[in-house]
Amino acid sequence: MAYTSNVMIVRHKLLANLVKLWNEKQLVEKIDRLPIELSPRRSKTLGRCCPHKERAVWKYKCFPLLGFDMTDEEDEVDLLSKYAKKALEREAPNKENLMCVIDEACTSCVQINYEVSNLCRGCVARSCYTNCPKDAISFQKNGQAQINHDTCVSCGICHKSCPYHAIVYIPVPCEEACPVKAISKDEYGIESIDESKCIYCGKCLKACPFGAIFEISQAFDVLQSIRRGEEVIAIIAPSILGQFKTTIDQVYGAFKQIGFTDVIEVAQGAMDTTSNEAHELLEKLEEGQPFMTTSCCPSYIELVNKHIPEMKPFVSSTGSPMYYTARIARKKYPNAKIVFVGPCIGKRQEIRRDEEVDMILTFEEVGAIFKGMDIELEQAPEYKMVFNSVREAHGFALNGGVMGAVKAYLGKDAGKVNGIEVADLNRKNITMLRSYAKSKKAPGQFIEVMTCEGGCISGPSAYNDIVSGRRQLSQQLTKVKETYEERG
């Protein structure tokens, strides 16, 4: 795994340990000792006061990995084994919220946004003092300013007023990363996610330096379905090509070793998305609609539904690749559990609108499952796909991939379409999309919108890092020989 931070190492290590216990049929029996084994009494903890605090963090980080959150704790003295038992006994995932904040881990974050640094010269102008609307600025004996944080409302006027830039802004990483202001501190100073605003982009999860933000996992629901002997089908997103450093046939073989009944590439469904979206685009333009956006990114759909309702008429009605692939799988396996596997948190919300997909696994979770079950990818038997999807369908994983596929499908008619890409739903790009919707004008007739910078390959729950993932995916795409052009 190409780790980009210790947070990823910790999350991967914890889930892998839980899966190992599950695989040995010892999850309930041994889970209570796991925090102690991970943080022994005399271990040194970086950033924590003591091993006991670290153990508490380990304990509560197990909650979302088992499919729970902090509100599910009935009594603080309850052991982890109680929740592990519940996780193994439930028949299906049952949480309403998709994400949660581990309060034990979140308490380490900054509680203030503005602070006076030692660059303060104790100047005569005292612009910070004279402009503060709450009289929160006072002065020490040496003339340096200080902020009374009980009075300060973090308006930032002092920060803007200081001629020496001596007052620094200290951002809260998750709040700064969220493009729709869906996360903020509650009365206890703990971050809280407002899912009525959240678009499930996962930017907060990636930004939190304490690893306090988790998605509610369904990993053990999937594993238990397999253990019960049910048919479980993995439908795997195109970005799988950029995740694991071995042949794709061996990766699919490793999925079979986990116990999946069959593996189907979502790239197969992407071909249906491509053809339907291409025809819809031409029809909309002929009807006089000024532009149309793509519809396969679930976080973008959440953005439109919750924050830019004016954009709804311009969003394609075509289903996502997951949508079409799930129906392919359901036709072949009518009684199976269908599990989407990808790098995306937003898909957890999309499956609530799609009755054909039962559960979600992320690439990050899959990597931990491989580790916990001692599955060596390089030694896995190859499992080849029966259906060969075109290169452009696999290219959905990269920004520009959907547009490229549609244009390749249109062939000679592609010249009629002027397209633009929006490959990062940050605040600037959201403002731009809102202006398109309100003015009913855009610089392109076809707008591809992806939440993640670089496309799905850099999703918040990817296994590989964005640079390595893009490089590997691009290399793998060259090995896919069949294209729309060759198919004619």
Side-chain angles (χ1 to χ4, degrees):
M1 181 175 184
Y3 297 108
T4 58
S5 75
N6 191 57
V7 166
M8 297 172 66
I9 297 174
V10 167
R11 198 160 53 226
H12 177 81
K13 178 181 180 179
L14 182 56
L15 182 54
N17 274 278
L18 292 174
V19 172
K20 181 178 175 64
L21 293 178
W22 173 88
N23 193 45
E24 296 170 348
K25 298 184 179 179
Q26 295 289 311
L27 182 62
V28 176
E29 291 77 7
K30 293 187 176 181
I31 192 172
D32 292 321
R33 291 199 59 81
L34 186 59
I36 298 172
E37 291 172 356
L38 292 172
S39 295
R41 178 179 296 172
R42 301 193 184 281
S43 61
K44 294 182 179 180
T45 57
L46 295 176
R48 310 278 187 209
C49 61
C50 62
H52 307 291
K53 172 69 172 180
E54 189 76 354
R55 290 174 188 174
V57 173
W58 283 120
K59 173 186 175 179
Y60 288 113
K61 283 186 175 181
C62 285
F63 270 55
L65 297 179
L66 293 170
F68 302 105
D69 66 13
M70 302 306 96
T71 64
D72 291 305
E73 185 177 55
E74 298 168 0
D75 192 324
E76 286 187 41
V77 301
D78 285 339
L79 300 175
L80 266 176
S81 51
K82 174 181 177 179
Y83 301 99
K85 190 171 185 293
K86 285 185 177 182
L88 299 185
E89 289 176 348
R90 66 173 174 250
E91 295 183 2
N94 54 15
K95 288 298 291 182
E96 291 186 8
N97 54 308
L98 302 182
M99 302 183 71
C100 72
V101 178
I102 310 300
D103 51 10
E104 287 289 343
C106 185
T107 51
S108 299
C109 204
V110 296
Q111 301 296 313
I112 57 175
N113 290 116
Y114 293 94
E115 188 62 272
V116 180
S117 74
N118 59 7
L119 295 176
C120 176
R121 310 305 298 169
C123 68
V124 176
R126 298 187 174 181
S127 302
C128 57
Y129 171 79
T130 55
N131 287 289
C132 178
K134 295 295 181 180
D135 294 325
I137 303 288
S138 60
F139 297 91
Q140 303 177 54
K141 290 181 179 180
N142 63 0
Q144 285 192 339
Q146 60 184 7
I147 299 174
N148 181 348
H149 294 293
D150 293 329
T151 308
C152 176
V153 294
S154 294
C155 65
I157 291 176
C158 60
H159 171 71
K160 295 175 183 177
S161 301
C162 178
Y164 290 105
H165 304 286
I167 300 178
V168 295
Y169 169 63
I170 308 170
V172 179
C174 59
E175 292 181 12
E176 187 178 43
C178 180
V180 292
K181 299 181 180 180
I183 186 166
S184 59
K185 282 184 169 60
D186 61 18
E187 65 269 29
Y188 303 106
I190 305 299
E191 294 296 330
S192 177
I193 299 171
D194 183 349
E195 296 211 14
S196 68
K197 296 179 180 179
C198 183
I199 62 173
Y200 312 111
C201 62
K203 292 181 185 292
C204 62
L205 184 148
K206 294 177 74 173
C208 177
F210 291 97
I213 302 175
F214 275 72
E215 50 189 312
I216 308 295
S217 177
Q218 297 174 358
F220 289 99
D221 299 283
V222 174
L223 292 173
Q224 281 295 94
S225 292
I226 292 172
R227 178 167 283 174
R228 287 193 293 264
E230 299 173 12
E231 282 187 322
V232 185
I233 313 302
I235 59 174
I236 306 180
S239 46
I240 188 70
L241 293 179
Q243 300 302 311
F244 302 100
K245 290 176 171 50
T246 187
T247 68
I248 192 60
D249 292 337
Q250 285 184 303
V251 173
Y252 293 152
F255 273 87
K256 292 286 288 181
Q257 285 186 308
I258 291 174
F260 285 96
T261 307
D262 199 2
V263 175
I264 300 174
E265 290 181 326
V266 171
Q268 184 174 348
M271 293 178 66
D272 291 327
T273 295
T274 299
S275 59
N276 292 337
E277 198 150 71
H279 292 301
E280 183 183 3
L281 175 62
L282 294 181
E283 289 173 6
K284 294 290 187 183
L285 295 180
E286 287 174 4
E287 291 170 1
Q289 184 169 302
F291 65 89
M292 186 183 85
T293 78
T294 53
S295 56
C296 54
C297 177
S299 291
Y300 169 58
I301 298 302
E302 289 298 305
L303 174 72
V304 171
N305 289 338
K306 294 177 179 178
H307 301 280
I308 318 179
E310 304 91 344
M311 183 63 86
K312 287 183 180 181
F314 302 102
V315 178
S316 169
S317 61
T318 298
S320 70
M322 183 191 79
Y323 173 90
Y324 294 112
T325 309
R327 278 139 188 86
I328 293 168
R330 182 64 68 201
K331 185 176 181 180
K332 189 174 181 180
Y333 301 98
N335 301 314
K337 293 281 181 69
I338 296 175
V339 179
F340 174 83
V341 185
C344 183
I345 293 175
K347 286 294 183 184
R348 296 188 186 276
Q349 178 68 3
E350 184 181 345
I351 69 169
R352 294 183 173 182
R353 302 190 296 267
D354 191 340
E355 68 282 0
E356 298 296 355
V357 185
D358 298 287
M359 290 175 284
I360 293 285
L361 274 182
T362 67
F363 291 142
E364 188 178 34
E365 290 170 337
V366 168
I369 290 172
F370 287 154
K371 177 71 173 177
M373 295 182 71
D374 293 322
I375 294 174
E376 297 291 339
L377 291 172
E378 295 80 4
Q379 299 173 14
E382 293 187 348
Y383 185 73
K384 295 184 179 295
M385 294 292 99
V386 176
F387 184 90
N388 293 320
S389 306
V390 296
R391 182 190 301 163
E392 292 87 351
H394 292 283
F396 267 52
L398 290 168
N399 61 300
V402 182
M403 184 181 300
V406 169
K407 287 192 171 185
Y409 178 85
L410 288 174
K412 295 179 181 179
D413 289 331
K416 302 177 182 178
V417 179
N418 176 32
I420 60 173
E421 300 172 24
V422 179
D424 183 8
L425 284 185
N426 53 35
R427 294 176 187 180
K428 178 182 177 181
N429 284 337
I430 289 174
T431 299
M432 180 179 67
L433 288 169
R434 186 176 284 112
S435 70
Y436 294 164
K438 289 185 176 181
S439 67
K440 297 180 174 57
K441 294 178 181 179
Q445 299 162 306
F446 187 41
I447 305 175
E448 179 195 279
V449 184
M450 289 193 175
T451 297
C452 300
E453 183 180 1
C456 304
I457 190 64
S458 58
S461 301
Y463 182 77
N464 209 349
D465 71 273
I466 181 172
V467 176
S468 301
R470 285 179 66 88
R471 185 189 306 116
Q472 183 176 321
L473 179 60
S474 298
Q475 291 171 350
Q476 292 295 320
L477 286 177
T478 63
K479 298 177 182 179
V480 182
K481 302 302 179 184
E482 194 164 357
T483 65
Y484 277 122
E485 184 178 359
E486 290 180 354
R487 287 196 172 193

